[in-house]
Amino acid sequence: MAWRGVLCAVAALTLVGCASPSSEDDEFLYLAVGASDAVGVGATPLTNGYVYLIADELEDRGQDVQLLNLGIPGADVTLIENAVRAALRTGLQPDLVTIWVGANDVIEGDDADDFETRLANMLDQLRDRTSAFIVIANLPDLTELPRFEEDPISSVTRERIRAFNNAIEDQADEYDVPVVDLAGEEVEDRYVSDVDGFHPSDAGHRRLAELFLEVILPEVVTSGHLRPS
């Protein structure tokens, strides 16, 4: 891997050990926002996670890619929003931002309206402080994951998942952010980790990367950020 991976640990509003606020002129700065999936949990090794696969593909398109991974295992949207806020205060200027949030909020029983408010705040900050191309994914049907098929919990229902996806869709429309439609993807066992029945497997991470790249590549290539291969 030629790209330079940066994994940041974030506690509350404190950002620890991250990249410099701006990258060199010939670098493409990719900011990945999410929870444990963004870190690569479920993949073997972690660098087979979807975020790293996206960075690999962008690197193959002909320009140095600097990855700032704000994946925070177990985080809900509040912690993730705080991490993004802290990163942007450093003057960070990403070219690309990918966002996948909401699953932990659903599981924890959080309110969809509160989630939407936090998501709106995050997107507002990114729009106000950067000129990045932003892509967000919605949630697949979590009830079909082996973890919840075998041990259902009251907070994980199709009704709640729809409410969170409606929140994602509404704010994506508000901020002109394309959506990677994971809700329209069938949840297949091969895409789910055998270890916990929840996180993506290696195949699942590859599929996630493919779906994100279907949205990302036409934009970043035609915009001139990256040279076509």
Side-chain angles (χ1 to χ4, degrees):
M1 296 179 184
W3 51 265
R4 186 152 48 103
V6 183
L7 181 62
C8 295
V10 184
L13 289 175
T14 304
L15 192 65
V16 181
C18 284
S20 58
S22 59
S23 59
E24 297 176 6
D25 290 342
D26 61 347
E27 287 183 331
F28 180 93
L29 181 55
Y30 168 24
L31 174 65
V33 176
S36 53
D37 305 285
V39 176
V41 173
T44 307
L46 293 179
T47 49
N48 279 336
Y50 80 92
V51 164
Y52 304 99
L53 297 178
I54 291 170
D56 284 341
E57 179 63 29
L58 295 178
E59 181 79 15
D60 289 344
R61 296 283 167 156
Q63 190 170 2
D64 290 337
V65 176
Q66 183 177 12
L67 169 64
L68 177 57
N69 193 332
L70 287 186
I72 311 170
D76 62 10
V77 72
T78 299
L79 182 54
I80 293 168
E81 183 215 340
N82 288 340
V84 170
R85 186 190 305 272
L88 293 178
R89 283 175 178 165
T90 71
L92 195 74
Q93 287 296 317
D95 298 287
L96 169 68
V97 180
T98 61
I99 303 172
W100 191 23
V101 295
N104 289 330
D105 304 80
V106 171
I107 294 166
E108 292 167 7
D110 294 342
D111 182 75
D113 290 339
D114 292 341
F115 167 82
E116 183 167 2
T117 297
R118 288 289 191 170
L119 179 60
N121 289 343
M122 184 195 311
L123 292 173
D124 188 65
Q125 293 169 59
L126 287 165
R127 275 283 179 252
D128 184 56
R129 300 190 181 195
T130 80
S131 58
F133 178 60
I134 306 168
V135 185
I136 190 168
N138 59 19
L139 300 175
D141 186 352
L142 303 178
T143 68
E144 294 185 358
L145 294 173
R147 171 175 167 181
F148 299 115
E149 286 186 328
E150 296 168 6
D151 186 19
I153 60 176
S154 60
S155 60
V156 180
T157 65
R158 288 191 171 95
E159 181 181 7
R160 278 177 48 76
I161 294 164
R162 279 195 297 271
F164 275 74
N165 279 339
N166 287 340
I168 291 169
E169 295 281 352
D170 288 347
Q171 293 310 310
D173 285 344
E174 178 70 21
Y175 288 95
D176 193 24
V177 173
V179 176
V180 175
D181 185 24
L182 301 183
E185 288 283 302
E186 183 178 353
V187 178
E188 300 181 32
D189 287 348
R190 65 193 175 107
Y191 291 147
V192 184
S193 170
D194 291 334
V195 175
D196 60 14
F198 176 66
H199 289 96
S201 63
D202 284 321
H205 277 284
R206 286 194 298 273
R207 182 59 179 155
L208 283 167
E210 290 171 358
L211 292 169
F212 269 100
L213 286 164
E214 285 176 4
V215 178
I216 292 166
L217 287 178
E219 172 64 25
V220 298
V221 171
T222 58
S223 68
H225 281 304
L226 296 173
R227 294 188 298 274
S229 58

